[in-house]
Amino acid sequence: MPPEVRIPAPAILQPLLDRVPALRLIGNTPLVRVTAFEDSHPGVEIHAKVEYFNPGGSLKDRPVLRMLAEGIAAGRLTPDKTIIDSSSGNAGIAYAVIGGALGYKVEIVIPDNASKERLKRLAAHGAKITHTSAQDGYDEAIRTVRRIVAASPEKYFYCDQYSNDGNWRAHHETTAPEIWAQTEGRVTHFVFGVGTGGTITGIGRRLRELNPDLQIELLVPDAFPGVEGLKPLGSPGDHVPEIYDTTLASRTWDVDDEKSWQTSQILARAGLFAGQSSGACVATAVRVAQDLSRRGQPGVVVTMLCDIGERYFSTRLWDV
Ligand SMILES: Cc1ncc(COP(=O)(O)O)c(C=O)c1O
């Protein structure tokens, strides 16, 4: 059993945690051993960080809390400002939950094919929603935010999670030390993909600092638009986020939608109710573990359960 650990909150977060005690629920998530596939990789362990335990139901609470804290500390996010960003899902919900609890107005620009459960969650926390055409893709939501901010820069705090260093720093300072302590330094492989690049960059950098031999296994959805939350990096027209550190990955693994969905469904029956990208992560972790096991090498493979399964009721994921 991994030990119970609590990593103290970084000093920059403290004023926010003092103001809104509910924000202390962010981070220090459990690490659970995934046993559902163990027969196929004897001698190798897989563990997953249960990020859906965060109050916003995803791994995005940590970076959003950090980016807002840095904005406040720098005097850029003041009480008169509206927090704005584009997001088709979890980051938007994190802005709504955290920004709303801190007393800020929050405006999320979102393509109009966003699911009802996401829109309702945003509304529940008081966020304003601005729609863009789904046909014009997610990039149109980004262009729209930039137009809105350019028209009234004094009114907005634009977080821009794709280029904000607070995004990866959140994982560098909290998620990675938690993984290290929870595995008692035994982690040998970290498996993840790229949405904004914050998770893999922050965790990858810190775990490598702690163990230079740590292997970082990059998973890439093999088709456009990819698995919800993970980019099909390198496909035509796909832009590589500024904060993603392209030097980290030791190997790259393709993963397809069908396999990701099947894996989420198996995890659900094993008591872990997470979304589609979590299925992609665990499916890839299983391949990494099988590869080690075939070569007779022990290993401790860690990945993430990124968000809560309920977020996908209006998709085909749970049509089983
Ligand atoms: C469900 C889900 N999985 C994975 C990711 C990727 O995380 P990151 O943005 O840190 O690369 C995200 C990010 O938005 C997400 O919402």
Side-chain angles (χ1 to χ4, degrees):
M1 276 293 281
E4 295 290 328
V5 288
R6 265 201 92 74
I7 299 296
I12 190 147
L13 303 183
Q14 212 54 59
L16 277 63
L17 305 184
D18 291 343
R19 223 162 106 189
V20 180
L23 299 179
R24 292 178 196 275
L25 298 173
I26 296 172
N28 280 305
T29 56
L31 184 80
V32 69
R33 183 156 171 182
V34 178
T35 54
F37 309 89
E38 243 166 32
D39 288 350
S40 75
H41 53 83
V44 181
E45 296 171 26
I46 296 178
H47 297 261
K49 195 83 172 116
V50 188
E51 288 300 293
Y52 61 70
F53 266 39
N54 284 303
S58 87
L59 79 181
K60 282 284 145 182
D61 283 11
R62 297 176 191 258
V64 164
L65 179 64
R66 172 89 197 196
M67 292 186 290
L68 297 185
E70 288 184 1
I72 292 168
R76 291 191 301 115
L77 174 52
T78 45
D80 55 316
K81 294 265 168 76
T82 296
I83 297 165
I84 192 167
D85 212 339
S86 57
S87 164
S88 57
N90 291 319
I93 290 170
Y95 287 125
V97 173
I98 301 167
L102 287 166
Y104 293 95
K105 289 193 193 118
V106 176
E107 184 171 340
I108 302 300
V109 180
I110 194 165
D112 60 14
N113 60 345
S115 69
K116 218 186 233 172
E117 56 264 43
R118 282 162 203 240
L119 296 174
K120 284 200 161 179
R121 183 77 201 258
L122 289 169
H125 295 280
K128 177 182 171 199
I129 300 163
T130 298
H131 290 285
T132 56
S133 157
Q135 269 182 341
D136 298 333
Y138 185 67
D139 284 353
E140 177 55 18
I142 298 177
R143 284 192 292 270
T144 302
V145 175
R146 293 193 172 146
R147 271 198 303 271
I148 295 172
V149 175
S152 321
E154 69 297 339
K155 188 175 161 199
Y156 291 105
F157 174 72
Y158 176 31
C159 236
D160 195 3
Q161 52 163 339
Y162 288 89
S163 58
N164 189 324
D165 287 323
N167 181 346
W168 66 265
R169 270 194 215 117
H171 293 292
H172 188 266
E173 285 197 2
T174 66
T175 328
E178 289 170 30
I179 291 170
W180 188 255
Q182 287 168 317
T183 60
E184 297 172 296
R186 295 188 312 120
V187 54
T188 56
H189 295 70
F190 179 66
V191 176
F192 204 65
V194 172
T196 62
T199 305
I200 197 165
T201 300
I203 295 180
R205 282 184 178 156
R206 173 54 72 92
L207 290 181
R208 272 271 169 78
E209 285 157 21
L210 293 163
N211 172 10
D213 293 331
L214 184 108
Q215 301 297 301
I216 293 162
E217 311 281 348
L218 173 69
L219 70 98
V220 178
D222 65 357
F224 192 82
V227 175
E228 173 84 44
L230 296 176
K231 289 160 82 62
L233 270 187
S235 57
D238 188 64
H239 124 274
V240 178
E242 236 172 86
I243 58 166
Y244 170 49
D245 182 348
T246 55
T247 66
L248 286 170
S250 325
R251 278 187 297 186
T252 300
W253 304 77
D254 282 350
V255 61
D256 66 57
D257 280 13
E258 212 49 53
K259 189 76 190 166
S260 307
W261 290 38
Q262 277 167 11
T263 308
S264 298
Q265 290 158 5
I266 294 169
L267 289 171
R269 307 266 166 125
L272 296 168
F273 194 48
Q276 188 190 0
S277 69
S278 309
C281 287
V282 172
T284 308
V286 169
R287 287 173 66 198
V288 170
Q290 287 170 341
D291 180 57
L292 285 167
S293 185
R294 261 194 303 272
R295 291 189 280 119
Q297 288 178 12
V300 176
V301 180
V302 173
T303 192
M304 312 283 274
L305 299 181
C306 311
D307 67 353
I308 184 107
E310 265 97 344
R311 209 144 279 172
Y312 299 86
F313 279 151
S314 62
T315 73
R316 287 189 301 114
L317 180 57
W318 305 120
D319 290 350
V320 286

